[in-house]
Amino acid sequence: MEEPKYHLTAVVKSRAENLEDFDGPLDIILQLLSKNKIEIRDIQISLIVEQYLAYLEARKRMDLDIASEFVTMASHLIYIKSKMLLSAADQQEALSEMELLMKSLEERKCKHALEQIQIGKTYLAARNEIGLGLFPKQPEPLRKDERYRYQHDARDLLKAFAMIAARSEKLLPPPVSSFEGIVGKEPFPVTKKAAQLLKSLVSRGVQKFREMFRGNRSRSELVATFLAVLELCKLKSVFVEQAESGEQTVTFLKMPDETKMEEQT
Amino acid sequence: MNELERAIEAILFAAGDPVDTARMATVLDCDPDEIHKAAQVLSDQMAFDRRGIRIVRLGEQYQMCSSSEMADVVTKTLETRKPPKLSSSLLETLTVVAYYQPVTKTYLEQIRGVDSGYSVSSLLNRHLIEECGRLNVPGRPILYRTTPDFLRTFGLHSLDELPEIERMSLETPPEQVPEQLAVDDLPGAAP
Amino acid sequence: MNELERAIEAILFAAGDPVDTARMATVLDCDPDEIHKAAQVLSDQMAFDRRGIRIVRLGEQYQMCSSSEMADVVTKTLETRKPPKLSSSLLETLTVVAYYQPVTKTYLEQIRGVDSGYSVSSLLNRHLIEECGRLNVPGRPILYRTTPDFLRTFGLHSLDELPEIERMSLETPPEQVPEQLAVDDLPGAAP
């Protein structure tokens, strides 16, 4: 449904309070009127009628739908305008007339929309039974696979540890890994160190405790030396005492029992 | 029957509900077009062999269902019934939703000119329409659209198959109190 | 494919659940033996064609199901919700197992200070920990250790790559250290 368009000069209120030209169909003019974008006094109805006739002339035929719509709307315009011209007191009444007009326009649209819907409804009604015999089924129960499928940062483990520590308010037993390089393994065997010490003591008799550590290259060798001295003491193979000077000395007594030494490794 | 067709057959069977082409494409690591092609081959073969099961296309989804030729034995075995045909007012409401979706109840009542609360809830119950969010205006009214079940029931493969009509754009009035319009389309359907 | 096979296919599809042979025989107005024969033909044909769907006999019933070869893609497609990520309590339990393994439930409950039965079984389900023998003490409690899945999840190649726990993280946080202990470490901060 093609609607005729109208051109009116300097009727639409712009922001700058200048009046701009209007181009568009009649119902837009009515809308603009209702929103006070156009003053009824600025509208020349004769101009609209002229343009409408020109439109008819161009189309060379009468569209009854458009014609009746035009007559309804144009007559309303004339009615409203004549009321406006009569007295300012009639303005309110004129405005409610406008609203009524707008409403009837909306209703016309709805009616048309519903008529159009009937086309679709007829089409659907004919197909109403096509799919009624197609039965879908319930989903098959899922075979659950709960295998974990996310990636975590290894540091999440540390955070979790901190959480436990914070909550328990007591020291957690350190895990085995914390002892690695201290006592977990014995990179420098105590037995080997004990043998070295014995060899050195046998040749010299007495030695300063401090000297036993001379030449030790690693923390584990230092530990081994200390443990070896303690172990040899326990086996009564050496004797440790503090001299007047405050210096500890180690004295060789006898060779220890071999089997007991082996338990060390 | 190739591997892709086997997989689609298994998925559609297990799902029961319509399955998105895109979802199958992701899982089966292939192009959606390949899914469409394979599903179409399967569907055609089933129709040609007049099998007891069929595959139907519903927009961008596929669904497996029993053949309508077998509707009688299926309903007898399962002791169900074919759903009844839609009444004229339900059909009208459904048509408005189909053309104007997503649409609010107020908007469709404006077009139909009658209260449509009963029709809407009835279509929701039949899974022919569903909620699809809310309109961002005061009151945040619920929006409705048609479902894949709607397509299947009416033997449509997509909404594009609906005949073309002129759609009006209405001035949406502020949410109307349906009091003035409270002539329910179902006489005696008191709330 | 004959009419009886078509009907059985449609019925088994729509039912989803197992269907009695007798019930199908009644509905299809034939002998149960004929149902058995037709269902068997259908079942064999599907297996032979390696279809995505299969028919299995369960005593006097038949059921249609998706092929187990397709279980993976079916599960992937249908899983609507991603399985949840590890909760903090699961993560804690897993951490204790990782650092103290092999470990009994009692020991890890002692460390965590809370009951951990649910966490342990949940981690077992997710294949992040596994049983690895029993501790040789009265009651012979089960020992747990982490799995290769655990290493993969945390991007580790071996347990040696577990981040080292710093002394700080093992100790009570400073703000919770009792006053007398805290000041000892500070020279000149005599009470």
Side-chain angles (χ1 to χ4, degrees):
Chain A
M1 190 167 65
E2 192 198 326
E3 281 184 75
K5 301 274 194 292
Y6 303 93
H7 177 82
L8 301 172
T9 320
V11 291
V12 184
K13 284 184 212 161
S14 72
R15 271 193 202 145
E17 289 304 315
N18 294 324
L19 293 177
E20 288 176 359
D21 291 359
F22 169 84
D23 282 287
L26 196 52
D27 57 345
I28 302 292
I29 296 178
L30 285 161
Q31 269 189 37
L32 291 173
L33 270 172
S34 72
K35 290 177 178 166
N36 283 322
K37 298 284 186 197
I38 298 183
E39 287 291 336
I40 188 78
R41 67 187 81 250
D42 292 333
I43 292 181
Q44 275 186 277
I45 291 166
S46 61
L47 210 59
I48 292 173
V49 175
E50 264 172 42
Q51 288 180 37
Y52 176 66
L53 292 174
Y55 167 80
L56 286 187
E57 185 63 28
R59 302 233 325 180
K60 293 287 181 204
R61 66 184 181 88
M62 191 72 156
D63 184 321
L64 279 178
D65 246 2
I66 295 176
S68 66
E69 193 169 336
F70 174 79
V71 170
T72 318
M73 288 195 281
S75 61
H76 264 270
L77 276 176
I78 294 165
Y79 175 67
I80 294 161
K81 185 154 185 177
S82 53
K83 274 198 169 177
M84 288 288 205
L85 294 175
L86 275 175
S87 77
D90 283 335
Q91 259 185 0
Q92 195 51 48
E93 197 186 332
L95 282 176
S96 54
E97 290 282 344
M98 280 286 298
E99 276 161 20
L100 271 176
L101 180 54
M102 297 301 303
K103 203 179 161 204
S104 81
L105 272 174
E106 270 304 304
E107 277 168 8
R108 278 180 56 92
K109 266 208 253 173
C110 287
K111 196 167 152 248
H112 184 69
L114 194 55
E115 278 164 16
Q116 288 291 308
I117 282 295
Q118 299 315 310
I119 299 171
K121 183 183 164 187
T122 310
Y123 173 80
L124 288 179
R127 308 178 67 87
N128 202 344
E129 274 187 295
I130 288 185
L132 290 182
L134 290 170
F135 288 96
K137 65 181 267 293
Q138 290 299 308
E140 209 173 32
L142 267 185
R143 282 166 254 205
K144 271 224 164 167
D145 177 10
E146 291 194 272
R147 201 166 275 273
Y148 198 61
R149 262 169 285 159
Y150 291 93
Q151 274 296 315
H152 282 270
D153 194 305
R155 278 169 301 192
D156 286 356
L157 296 170
L158 287 181
K159 285 183 206 153
F161 225 114
M163 292 280 289
I164 306 173
R167 196 182 51 229
S168 68
E169 285 192 37
K170 64 176 183 201
L171 300 188
L172 295 174
V176 177
S177 62
S178 298
F179 298 108
E180 255 163 40
I182 304 175
V183 290
K185 269 191 194 164
E186 210 174 292
F188 203 105
V190 177
T191 329
K192 187 178 162 197
K193 179 52 75 181
Q196 283 177 7
L197 292 181
L198 285 171
K199 198 176 161 199
S200 159
L201 284 168
V202 167
S203 61
R204 299 190 199 179
V206 182
Q207 245 181 320
K208 284 180 180 161
F209 178 65
R210 189 188 284 273
E211 277 172 359
M212 318 236 90
F213 295 91
R214 188 167 291 160
N216 283 2
R217 287 175 191 191
S218 67
R219 178 199 286 236
S220 87
E221 193 176 352
L222 290 169
V223 172
T225 305
F226 184 68
L227 289 177
V229 173
L230 291 182
E231 201 56 43
L232 290 172
C233 281
K234 195 173 127 200
L235 296 171
K236 301 201 167 62
S237 174
V238 299
F239 177 70
V240 180
E241 65 180 340
Q242 190 158 2
E244 294 282 307
S245 60
E247 192 85 55
Q248 288 92 350
T249 56
V250 184
T251 312
F252 175 75
L253 297 176
K254 58 165 180 137
M255 288 304 280
D257 179 10
E258 286 301 309
T259 51
K260 279 187 182 165
M261 283 294 283
E262 253 154 36
E263 270 176 16
Q264 287 289 310
T265 51
Chain B
M1 185 170 212
N2 66 31
E3 206 58 23
L4 191 56
E5 288 161 27
R6 287 189 181 99
I8 293 173
E9 188 174 58
I11 289 169
L12 293 183
F13 173 84
D17 297 322
V19 182
D20 283 329
T21 308
R23 180 142 185 91
M24 288 191 275
T26 309
V27 170
L28 300 173
D29 193 24
C30 65
D31 200 79
D33 283 346
E34 290 177 70
I35 300 288
H36 278 306
K37 225 178 102 194
Q40 204 54 57
V41 168
L42 260 178
S43 173
D44 291 347
Q45 193 61 48
M46 284 174 176
F48 182 80
D49 294 342
R50 293 185 46 228
R51 297 191 73 92
I53 51 175
R54 300 298 163 89
I55 286 173
V56 290
R57 178 174 183 168
L58 308 166
E60 279 304 302
Q61 303 183 308
Y62 287 91
Q63 185 173 29
M64 191 180 278
C65 30
S66 63
S67 154
S68 53
E69 292 169 35
M70 294 298 160
D72 280 352
V73 292
V74 168
T75 50
K76 254 199 224 164
T77 318
L78 304 186
E79 293 176 317
T80 54
R81 212 174 267 224
K82 276 195 197 177
K85 283 174 79 167
L86 295 179
S87 70
S88 169
S89 69
L90 284 187
L91 201 54
E92 189 175 281
T93 308
L94 183 60
T95 310
V96 176
V97 176
Y99 280 100
Y100 286 87
Q101 60 188 309
V103 68
T104 64
K105 189 162 78 72
T106 310
Y107 199 88
L108 73 86
E109 282 177 340
Q110 215 179 326
I111 291 174
R112 294 192 60 215
V114 287
D115 184 86
S116 306
Y118 172 80
S119 297
V120 167
S121 65
S122 177
L123 291 172
L124 283 170
N125 280 340
R126 288 162 177 251
H127 302 284
L128 292 170
I129 64 171
E130 63 191 1
E131 297 187 7
C132 62
R134 288 167 179 274
L135 194 63
N136 206 4
V137 297
R140 296 182 54 73
I142 298 166
L143 288 164
Y144 299 96
R145 67 173 172 210
T146 55
T147 61
D149 274 13
F150 160 73
L151 292 176
R152 193 188 66 239
T153 305
F154 289 88
L156 300 169
H157 299 115
S158 92
L159 289 170
D160 298 339
E161 290 175 24
L162 287 173
E164 210 153 308
I165 65 164
E166 263 184 73
R167 275 168 246 215
M168 302 290 126
S169 60
L170 304 181
E171 285 261 323
T172 321
E175 284 298 287
Q176 270 168 346
V177 188
E179 216 120 55
Q180 311 103 287
L181 304 170
V183 193
D184 199 290
D185 40 356
L186 269 200
Chain C
M1 186 170 212
N2 66 32
E3 206 59 23
L4 191 56
E5 287 161 28
R6 288 189 181 98
I8 292 173
E9 188 175 55
I11 289 169
L12 292 182
F13 168 83
D17 297 323
V19 182
D20 285 333
T21 308
R23 170 119 200 106
M24 287 192 275
T26 310
V27 170
L28 299 171
D29 194 23
C30 66
D31 197 80
D33 282 346
E34 288 178 74
I35 300 287
H36 277 305
K37 224 178 103 194
Q40 205 52 57
V41 170
L42 259 179
S43 175
D44 290 348
Q45 193 62 47
M46 284 176 175
F48 182 79
D49 295 341
R50 294 187 43 229
R51 298 193 71 94
I53 51 175
R54 301 296 166 87
I55 287 173
V56 290
R57 180 173 179 167
L58 309 159
E60 277 307 299
Q61 300 183 311
Y62 286 92
Q63 183 174 24
M64 192 181 279
C65 51
S66 60
S67 153
S68 56
E69 290 168 39
M70 295 296 162
D72 261 9
V73 291
V74 167
T75 311
K76 264 197 213 161
T77 317
L78 303 192
E79 248 174 7
T80 44
R81 280 184 313 141
K82 262 190 145 182
K85 270 191 138 178
L86 291 180
S87 65
S88 65
S89 69
L90 285 187
L91 197 56
E92 270 184 31
T93 309
L94 183 58
T95 304
V96 175
V97 175
Y99 283 97
Y100 292 88
Q101 60 189 304
V103 67
T104 63
K105 188 164 80 72
T106 312
Y107 190 75
L108 74 86
E109 281 178 340
Q110 222 175 316
I111 289 174
R112 290 192 61 214
V114 288
D115 187 272
S116 306
Y118 170 79
S119 296
V120 167
S121 67
S122 183
L123 291 171
L124 284 170
N125 278 341
R126 289 159 201 248
H127 300 276
L128 290 171
I129 65 171
E130 62 191 5
E131 297 185 7
C132 62
R134 287 166 180 276
L135 194 62
N136 205 4
V137 297
R140 296 181 52 74
I142 299 166
L143 287 164
Y144 299 98
R145 68 175 172 209
T146 55
T147 62
D149 271 14
F150 161 78
L151 292 177
R152 237 188 332 273
T153 302
F154 287 86
L156 305 170
H157 297 105
S158 81
L159 288 173
D160 295 340
E161 289 181 24
L162 278 177
E164 223 171 287
I165 295 176
E166 289 169 36
R167 271 180 61 76
M168 273 313 291
S169 68
L170 287 174
E171 282 169 9
T172 324
E175 63 266 27
Q176 283 178 336
V177 176
E179 206 112 49
Q180 311 97 284
L181 292 180
V183 289
D184 270 357
D185 297 338
L186 296 172

